[in-house]
């Protein structure tokens, strides 16, 4: 029962953590915990409701970090079991399954293949999306996990709810027909990184178009990394891919990186 | 004759440029030029010695940039053939073969595989070198072009002369037995980038060991990017690989990037 629920979560690429008693009373008892949008699903028990509560709380932290570990408790969830005398210590094996972070790339251009290749090294699940079916082909992007021939709005309506701090949306089209709805859709999600390609001039024009569709709040515009990437003088698509991924890494851990979006002057000197 | 010389240069991974008359007198005439260390080898003629001289000079610039192009001259090498009346314009097809830049990685560690994968996206010819034969295996580094079980000194004695501004040496070992000779060998080359992994503490200790073997000139020490990479808060080998490649790109084009080697404070905050 627990294992079929575990298998189902993994099959559906949802985060899940399995707790197993490997020492102490109730040896072999298992508990499955999976955050499901805002609520928490649990299945099984470690033998004590308070132990369940404390161990699940800790396990969700491990899951968030993608870690598998062993934790020690008292039989009713005491967190400093070394202090207990005459009671057995319960050792819990915590196994995390975190699905890979996602990167959705809008625009099936030359930069896309290079970015997808570097993103794969970083472990992303990569989705390439473009409305032009001659460009958005699996043959052109064999390294992508999915290549979708469609518009940004339906893609983000479908995938948007699953996007969080670890995920990234990169908008590499230069076509307002495509990038305005992509930005609108991206801002409606909790995605951690939104990068938008284009020169400083393109970015200025794009801001006007965004204002026309009602996007002008500073907290929204601040989320847009545009021009995309950090200022390392990238010239080729491959170098640009490095500059984008460096920006994503730096932004996720809260580093101040020399983002092109925070500076002025020419991108190519 | 020209084509077999061309094939031989390409086979040996040496830069070479082929010039062919595609319009004007001597249609189809070919000239092969290849910089050979400090001297220049040429073979064939475009039909006029002055035309040969000027066209080869320009072609070497194209070769440096790795470009293939068409250039126009007067029949005796005039560079503004549009000004000539009553004389035919000679159009020359310039085909460049530039071997890929090289990255030599010392140390067959976990970071090596990630760096080699990212370097391959950037088009590097990647050589991995470690003296420990259980670690330096093609199976562990299938993405590397060469995996050498040997010490830094003989590797750099053999490959060092071919290294230039576009190439990189990354020293990922933490073992002074290995990294001191690797740094000595690297400094003896014209390689454009030398990165050395290690904490700030390791770097301080390493400077002492380098001083013991006579390496203490500021212009030498300035070439060492250590700790390796830029400050984007990288944690995993893959993130570190991005940070190293971002530093290489920025350094090559002369950008000021937030190198760890130019800052202080903890690498991991």
């Amino acid at each position: 029962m627990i294992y079929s629920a575990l298998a189902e979560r993994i099959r559906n690429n949802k985060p899940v953590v399995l707790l197993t008693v490997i020492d102490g009373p109730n040896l072999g008892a298992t508990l499955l915990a999976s955050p499901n949008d805002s609520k928490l699903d649990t299945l099984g028990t470690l033998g004590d409701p308070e132990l369940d509560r404390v161990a699940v709380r800790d396990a969700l932290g491990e899951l968030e970090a993608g870690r598998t570990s062993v934790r020690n408790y008292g039989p009713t969830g005491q967190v400093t079991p070394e202090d207990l005398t005459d009671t057995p210590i319960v050792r819990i094996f915590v196994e995390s399954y975190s699905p890979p972070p996602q990167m959705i790339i809008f625009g099936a251009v030359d930069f896309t293949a290079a970015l997808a290749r570097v993103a794969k090294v970083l472990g992303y699940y990569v989705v390439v999306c473009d409305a032009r079916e001659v460009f958005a082909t699996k043959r052109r992007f064999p390294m992508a996990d999915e290549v979708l021939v469609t518009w940004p709005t339906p893609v983000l309506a479908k995938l948007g709810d699953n996007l969080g701090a670890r995920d990234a949306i990169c908008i590499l089209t230069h076509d307002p027909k495509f990038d305005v709805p992509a930005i609108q859709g991206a801002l409606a999600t909790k995605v951690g990184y939104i990068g938008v390609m284009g020169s400083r001039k393109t970015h200025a024009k794009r801001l006007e178009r965004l204002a026309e569709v009602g996007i002008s709040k500073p907290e929204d515009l601040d989320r847009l990394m545009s021009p995309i990437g950090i200022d390392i003088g990238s010239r080729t698509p491959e170098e640009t891919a490095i500059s984008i991924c460096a920006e994503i890494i730096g932004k996720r851990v809260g580093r101040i990186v020399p983002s092109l979006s925070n500076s002025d002057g020419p991108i190519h000197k």
Side-chain angles (χ1 to χ4, degrees), chain A:
Chain A
M1 175 72 169
I2 278 192
Y3 293 105
S4 66
L6 173 64
E8 196 207 326
R9 297 290 295 180
I10 292 175
R11 226 176 5 247
N12 292 324
N13 237 10
K14 301 285 186 188
V16 62
V17 59
L18 178 68
L19 296 85
T20 306
V21 176
I22 56 169
D23 205 357
N26 300 307
L27 188 68
T30 52
L31 172 56
L32 190 75
S34 47
N36 213 342
D37 296 325
S38 49
K39 74 182 205 303
L40 174 71
D41 288 338
T42 64
L43 197 61
T45 177
L46 304 172
D48 177 85
E50 188 57 17
L51 175 63
D52 287 352
R53 189 187 67 78
V54 174
V56 164
R57 178 198 67 193
D58 294 350
L60 291 175
E62 298 293 78
L63 178 61
E64 180 71 31
R67 267 194 309 260
T68 280
S69 65
V70 173
R71 306 203 75 149
N72 304 308
Y73 302 95
T76 55
Q78 298 93 323
V79 291
T80 52
E82 300 79 7
D83 296 345
L84 306 172
T85 49
D86 304 328
T87 53
I89 287 176
V90 182
R91 285 162 60 78
I92 311 273
F93 185 40
V94 178
E95 294 169 278
S96 291
Y97 173 75
S98 276
Q102 293 182 65
M103 182 185 287
I104 303 178
I105 309 175
F106 289 107
V109 298
D110 281 352
F111 287 85
T112 310
L115 179 56
R117 284 183 72 192
V118 178
K120 287 310 294 177
V121 177
L122 287 168
Y124 283 93
Y125 184 88
V126 176
V127 178
V128 172
C129 171
D130 197 305
R132 302 165 300 175
E133 65 182 306
V134 284
F135 293 114
T137 64
K138 191 71 190 166
R139 179 179 289 203
R140 283 190 72 209
F141 304 104
M143 73 301 280
D145 296 286
E146 289 182 50
V147 179
L148 306 175
V149 183
T150 179
W151 288 83
T153 310
V155 170
L156 289 173
K158 188 179 160 221
L159 303 177
D161 281 350
N162 278 324
L163 299 176
R166 302 189 309 146
D167 305 308
I169 294 177
C170 298
I171 301 166
L172 307 187
T173 45
H174 282 81
D175 182 347
K177 273 206 313 293
F178 210 78
D179 63 15
V180 168
I183 292 170
Q184 280 185 294
L187 287 173
T189 72
K190 291 185 177 146
V191 74
Y193 177 88
I194 307 171
V196 194
M197 184 166 271
S199 64
R200 296 193 189 282
K201 205 167 138 190
T202 304
H203 179 60
K205 279 194 190 159
R206 194 183 283 130
L207 289 179
E208 291 170 24
R209 278 196 216 91
L210 289 172
E212 286 164 18
V213 297
I215 296 176
S216 58
K217 280 188 282 184
E219 64 267 36
D220 279 345
L221 300 180
D222 281 354
R223 290 179 70 193
L224 305 180
M225 305 307 282
S226 175
I228 196 170
I230 64 169
D231 187 14
I232 53 173
S234 295
R235 296 164 303 187
T236 65
E238 290 74 20
E239 291 172 357
T240 304
I242 299 291
S243 123
I244 295 170
C245 289
E247 183 168 69
I248 292 174
I249 295 166
K251 198 168 181 337
R252 208 182 52 209
V253 299
R255 284 298 158 104
I256 295 161
V257 293
S259 290
L260 286 166
S261 60
N262 299 332
S263 63
D264 44 33
I267 297 177
H268 306 286
K269 277 168 195 154

